Amino acid sequence: MAETLSGIIERVAFHNPETGFAVLRVQLPDRRDLVTVVGKLPRAVAGEFVDAVGSWVDDRDHGRQFRADELRTTPPRTREGIEKFLGSGLIKGIGPHFARKIVEAFGDRTLQVIDQSPDFLREVKGIGPQRVERIRQSWQQQRAIRDIMVFLQSHGLGTARAVRIWKTYGDQAIELVRANPYRLATDIWGVGFQSADQLAERLGIDRSSPLRARAAIRYVLQQLSYQGHCAFPEADLVERTRQLTGIAPEILQAAVEHERTEGELVRDTPPGSDQGPWIYLKPLYLAETGVARALGQLAQGPHPLPPLDLEAAVARVEQQWGLSLAGGQRQAVTQAARRKVLVITGGPGVGKTTIVRAILEIFTTHRQRCALAAPTGRAAKRLSETTGREAKTIHRLLEFDPASGSFRRDRHQPLPVDLLVVDEASMLDVVLMHQLVRALPPSACLVLVGDVDQLPSVGPGMVLADIIASGAVPVVRLTEIFRQAHQSWIVRAAHQVNHGALPESAPAGEGDFYFVPADTPAAILDRLIHLVRDRIPHRFGLDPMRDIQVLTPMNRTELGARQLNGRLQQVLNPPRPTPDLQRHGWTFRVGDKVLQLVNNYTKEVFNGDVGRIEAIDAAEQELTVRFDGRDVTYDFDETDELALAYALTVHKSQGSEYAAVVMPLHTQHWLMLQRNLLYTAITRGRKLVVLLGSRKALAAAVQRHDTARRYTALRDRLRHGTSAVSPTFGGPDTVGPDRGSLAWFH
């Protein structure tokens, strides 16, 4: 027979917002000692009154506890409970200090005052108008969020995204989600189709409904874009969606037609396609065709430089710098002075930086306006350091405006430049490339510098490779390794891997590239921790937090980023007296290295940025991260955008450079062991690279090419000179950042 108990939550020992599972320490009115209550709650806050229905059990590991089948909380009723409730940090602007002072002033009427007459709080010393307003807004927000949490949990969903749902939809959130639960998968970061589908089923939406079919088609295309595809063959798209949902093909085909006529999808048969028509998400179609059109137009017209004696101009640069440019370098410089669009590609040690400096010298000597950009903050910083000139991320160059949700720089207000040099161009996806080229004036030159043999972009497309393969743009491929670079074992190893040869390890203590054999995951993990914590800092004088980066082929497995981050945090940043923050499966501490997982244009931090946690403020419910000398503040409910960064996947490291790289290699990474991934990892290290693992895994990574095809038609559109001519979609032939070029891809 079920029992009941009621009491005050003294402490929340554990709460998982994804599942609602909570472990509460509860003070009962008739007991001196606290009791443990376990069950599910949307949100649990110390000080609240809890009613539980369930039974007492004796847990083998945790002792006697009350296992609740039903849990319900209500606002606290006593002065002590109210003070604990307000002091928990739930309401911004009220920490333990002000909680005590407010309760002293208003007693058991405190919550009524905050709810109905918050201006009375100004009677408390230290609380002014601004703090009152923060308290008022936070109180209203928490009330709305709690309603959303109850709604989600009552339909079997986790409540971790309730804050994002409220911020996106406002007070109409529940009404909007009831009408179309599938919008969650499109609009809310972290909510996938399966969760939205589960909610839809509980709300009574038919499993073969057109609404579900349309949502599934969009979801599958979006997931394919995360794998690098700009589009997908229509027949294959319908079949994949059928396998996911069980919806009949004819219903899915009708869903495609509906989305196409609504202007959400585009059907197009690209030049050279032998698989019938492809289906695009409209923003990707417009981005792909827009890049092809813009590059074609940019290549036309007169060059901004006046007629030059290029031999004399290059000679002056050589004399000024006291060097002699190699043949490939000289060709690149002269091509940049003659052609409007140019690609310069090559591996490490081939002199790409020298070429960029020479090009800039010639352009600035003739009073041309030059700009430098790169896809990531770290790449832009490195470009600035190597050239001695200001370089910006592409997002900052294009001047994103959070108020309007768009870039200020576009075709109507182009960049004031005569030359734009973009470094790490292999990272450019088709969406970002489109935003960039549409902001260039027709008179400008564009020089793309990158290593086409590295991993392609994380986002959709393979822009640099497609531009090179199209033959529509002049390309200078640098192959000569300079003598100074050739002395680096890292450079030598990178080129060996790129040519399909096993990399040579330097003699002990005499180089900067090493392979350390270890066969089992346990042995690899033990040696990795020893290298990062002890050996490398002592032998090379490098700081394990600042200078050493662990890179791994994938997120999952014992040697994946997720598990490695937990172990490395334990040894490099163990628990300390300052409070931890537990959110979304991570424990965050002051001093932790963290990774930004999504583009956040309002905060100006982007997918792949790495920073350090500077502060965790429980009273204000805020966490502060320093990125490249700039502090960025996150609400606790926004920390789903962050992950620990002691270990990163190689994909997340693109565009970055580290003093030392340590990379585990094991056959449990088999699916990701590919040449371009290993090559990219090796080229991330500046002073030291250590590969640690089995020779079989190393050999597999060297021998295997990345043969996965990306469905992108940019190469053929450039080759055939085609752009946006398809009549098979609705809506204007434009794409704004609010329609997916920014918001669509996190």
Side-chain angles (χ1 to χ4, degrees):
M1 182 176 178
E3 299 180 68
T4 62
L5 64 76
S6 301
I8 296 172
I9 300 175
E10 184 71 20
R11 180 165 55 89
V12 180
F14 176 81
H15 183 249
N16 183 343
E18 299 286 349
T19 63
F21 179 76
V23 179
L24 311 176
R25 296 289 285 163
V26 176
Q27 180 67 67
L28 302 182
D30 56 350
R31 292 201 187 188
R32 174 181 296 181
D33 297 331
L34 301 178
V35 301
T36 300
V37 178
V38 298
K40 288 189 175 183
L41 275 173
R43 173 175 282 178
V45 183
E48 287 185 307
F49 196 83
V50 63
D51 292 306
V53 178
S55 58
W56 290 98
V57 297
D58 289 308
D59 186 89
R60 185 177 60 182
D61 297 321
H62 304 290
R64 193 160 178 77
Q65 57 185 220
F66 191 84
R67 190 164 295 168
D69 300 316
E70 298 177 26
L71 275 180
R72 183 170 56 88
T73 58
T74 54
R77 305 167 188 174
T78 65
R79 293 167 64 102
E80 294 78 8
I82 293 170
E83 181 178 336
K84 190 175 293 290
F85 177 76
L86 294 179
S88 68
L90 180 69
I91 307 301
K92 282 192 174 184
I94 305 179
H97 172 71
F98 280 115
R100 184 173 60 256
K101 296 181 71 172
I102 292 171
V103 173
E104 286 175 354
F106 300 106
D108 55 12
R109 296 174 47 248
T110 296
L111 298 185
Q112 182 181 354
V113 169
I114 295 174
D115 186 50
Q116 300 176 8
S117 308
D119 285 339
F120 286 174
L121 295 175
R122 296 173 64 178
E123 298 176 8
V124 178
K125 186 177 180 180
I127 297 183
Q130 290 184 337
R131 188 177 293 273
V132 168
E133 181 59 21
R134 286 165 63 200
I135 293 171
R136 185 189 66 79
Q137 291 182 359
S138 182
W139 179 264
Q140 292 179 351
Q141 175 179 329
Q142 292 303 326
R143 187 166 51 187
I145 290 169
R146 182 176 287 274
D147 290 342
I148 296 172
M149 286 180 166
V150 171
F151 168 75
L152 293 175
Q153 194 187 47
S154 67
H155 291 92
L157 267 68
T159 60
R161 312 295 172 184
V163 175
R164 290 200 176 276
I165 293 171
W166 179 80
K167 288 183 176 180
T168 303
Y169 302 137
D171 293 336
Q172 303 300 311
I174 294 176
E175 179 181 338
L176 292 172
V177 172
R178 279 188 183 279
N180 180 9
Y182 292 105
R183 66 188 304 154
L184 290 173
T186 301
D187 298 343
I188 308 299
W189 156 248
V191 178
F193 175 81
Q194 281 84 355
S195 295
D197 198 34
Q198 177 186 342
L199 177 58
E201 183 175 19
R202 287 176 175 263
L203 290 173
I205 294 177
D206 187 86
R207 308 302 286 164
S208 295
S209 73
L211 181 67
R212 182 172 186 251
R214 297 195 294 267
I217 288 286
R218 290 195 304 270
Y219 168 77
V220 171
L221 277 174
Q222 193 169 25
Q223 292 303 302
L224 289 166
S225 75
Y226 297 154
Q227 298 169 23
H229 301 290
C230 293
F232 213 66
E234 184 170 7
D236 294 340
L237 171 65
V238 169
E239 175 57 20
R240 283 196 176 211
T241 312
R242 185 199 65 77
Q243 292 176 6
L244 173 70
T245 63
I247 298 175
E250 58 270 20
I251 297 176
L252 293 172
Q253 197 66 58
V256 171
E257 288 300 318
H258 180 276
E259 292 298 283
R260 190 187 63 76
T261 57
E262 290 294 312
E264 297 294 330
L265 304 181
V266 178
R267 178 186 289 119
D268 186 37
T269 303
S273 171
D274 58 356
Q275 293 182 274
W278 293 4
I279 300 297
Y280 287 78
L281 294 165
K282 185 177 178 181
L284 287 181
Y285 176 79
L286 294 175
E288 184 178 273
T289 55
V291 169
R293 183 192 311 109
L295 287 178
Q297 293 172 346
L298 195 63
Q300 306 303 313
H303 198 283
L305 280 175
L308 295 177
D309 182 343
L310 288 177
E311 291 298 321
V314 172
R316 280 194 297 272
V317 171
E318 291 177 318
Q319 182 179 12
Q320 179 179 344
W321 292 349
L323 54 78
S324 177
L325 295 177
Q329 291 179 311
R330 185 179 293 268
Q331 180 190 6
V333 174
T334 55
Q335 287 279 11
R338 289 174 177 154
R339 306 297 292 266
K340 294 284 296 303
V341 182
L342 176 68
V343 172
I344 301 171
T345 187
V350 297
K352 296 191 293 292
T353 298
T354 300
I355 294 169
V356 171
R357 291 176 60 205
I359 292 170
L360 292 169
E361 186 67 29
I362 292 174
F363 271 74
T364 54
T365 297
H366 292 84
R367 299 183 179 181
Q368 301 294 301
R369 300 166 298 172
C370 302
L372 302 174
T376 68
R378 289 197 171 192
K381 184 178 181 181
R382 190 170 68 252
L383 180 60
S384 181
E385 291 169 349
T386 56
T387 62
R389 301 171 185 269
E390 182 186 21
K392 298 180 179 179
T393 65
I394 294 173
H395 298 92
R396 293 194 177 100
L397 180 75
L398 299 179
E399 301 177 21
F400 180 74
D401 178 16
S404 64
S406 62
F407 289 121
R408 292 192 179 97
R409 297 294 179 179
D410 56 18
R411 65 170 62 93
H412 304 297
Q413 190 177 357
L415 293 163
V417 298
D418 302 301
L419 168 69
L420 175 62
V421 178
V422 180
D423 198 14
E424 294 285 357
S426 62
M427 295 182 66
L428 289 169
D429 62 45
V430 70
V431 176
L432 186 58
M433 183 66 175
H434 184 218
Q435 294 297 333
L436 183 67
V437 294
R438 70 201 293 260
L440 282 175
S443 59
C445 294
L446 174 63
V447 176
L448 300 174
V449 183
D451 187 346
V452 74
D453 295 318
Q454 290 184 16
L455 287 169
S457 61
V458 175
M462 39 196 301
V463 172
L464 184 64
D466 278 350
I467 292 174
I468 292 172
S470 72
V473 170
V475 177
V476 177
R477 184 183 285 271
L478 304 168
T479 57
E480 180 180 352
I481 305 172
F482 290 93
R483 184 170 55 188
Q484 183 177 1
H486 214 295
Q487 295 172 354
S488 166
W489 289 80
I490 293 175
V491 171
R492 192 181 308 177
H495 286 278
Q496 287 169 336
V497 167
N498 204 29
H499 288 90
L502 288 172
E504 295 179 64
S505 185
E510 298 181 19
D512 53 12
F513 174 83
Y514 299 95
F515 175 75
V516 178
D519 289 327
T520 67
I524 293 171
L525 182 57
D526 287 344
R527 291 192 181 186
L528 184 146
I529 290 174
H530 174 66
L531 283 168
V532 173
R533 181 185 58 194
D534 305 316
R535 178 65 178 162
I536 293 175
H538 294 157
R539 173 66 180 81
F540 296 91
L542 298 175
D543 182 89
M545 296 286 281
R546 183 186 65 244
D547 300 324
I548 303 173
Q549 183 61 58
V550 174
L551 300 181
T552 182
M554 58 201 305
N555 268 307
R556 296 191 179 123
T557 76
E558 187 179 348
L559 296 173
R562 184 89 193 192
Q563 293 296 322
L564 288 175
N565 269 307
R567 289 297 305 273
L568 289 166
Q569 184 191 44
Q570 289 175 17
V571 299
L572 298 180
N573 193 27
R576 55 180 69 190
T578 53
D580 293 344
L581 174 66
Q582 295 187 0
R583 285 291 192 279
H584 310 288
W586 296 108
T587 296
F588 295 114
R589 298 181 184 130
V590 172
D592 276 339
K593 290 170 64 173
V594 290
L595 170 74
Q596 177 73 17
L597 296 173
V598 297
N599 290 337
N600 188 318
Y601 298 91
T602 302
K603 297 183 188 297
E604 292 190 59
V605 287
F606 304 100
N607 187 356
D609 286 353
V610 174
R612 292 279 291 273
I613 296 178
E614 293 292 307
I616 297 174
D617 189 333
E620 296 297 325
Q621 295 275 286
E622 291 178 346
L623 178 147
T624 302
V625 181
R626 179 162 296 175
F627 292 98
D628 291 325
R630 186 173 65 93
D631 286 349
V632 178
T633 300
Y634 296 78
D635 290 345
F636 282 178
D637 291 312
E638 295 177 316
T639 53
D640 57 345
E641 296 184 6
L642 299 173
L644 293 180
Y646 298 96
L648 301 176
T649 63
V650 179
H651 285 84
K652 289 292 187 182
S653 75
Q654 288 177 262
S656 297
E657 186 180 72
Y658 313 99
V661 165
V662 179
M663 182 180 184
L665 284 171
H666 191 268
T667 50
Q668 65 178 216
H669 298 139
W670 191 260
L671 292 176
M672 299 299 295
L673 293 178
Q674 295 165 347
R675 184 180 301 172
N676 59 355
L677 182 136
L678 179 60
Y679 174 76
T680 301
I682 293 173
T683 57
R684 300 306 90 200
R686 186 172 68 251
K687 295 181 179 179
L688 177 69
V689 173
V690 180
L691 303 183
L692 171 62
S694 70
R695 297 188 184 278
K696 181 179 180 181
L698 175 63
V702 170
Q703 294 165 7
R704 294 170 64 193
H705 282 284
D706 182 3
T707 57
R709 175 181 181 180
R710 289 191 173 195
Y711 282 94
T712 161
L714 179 59
R715 179 193 63 183
D716 293 319
R717 294 188 194 281
L718 287 166
R719 181 178 291 167
H720 295 279
T722 57
S723 58
V725 296
S726 172
T728 63
F729 67 95
D733 183 24
T734 60
V735 57
D738 57 322
R739 280 294 300 178
S741 295
L742 297 184
W744 191 270
F745 297 104
H746 302 291

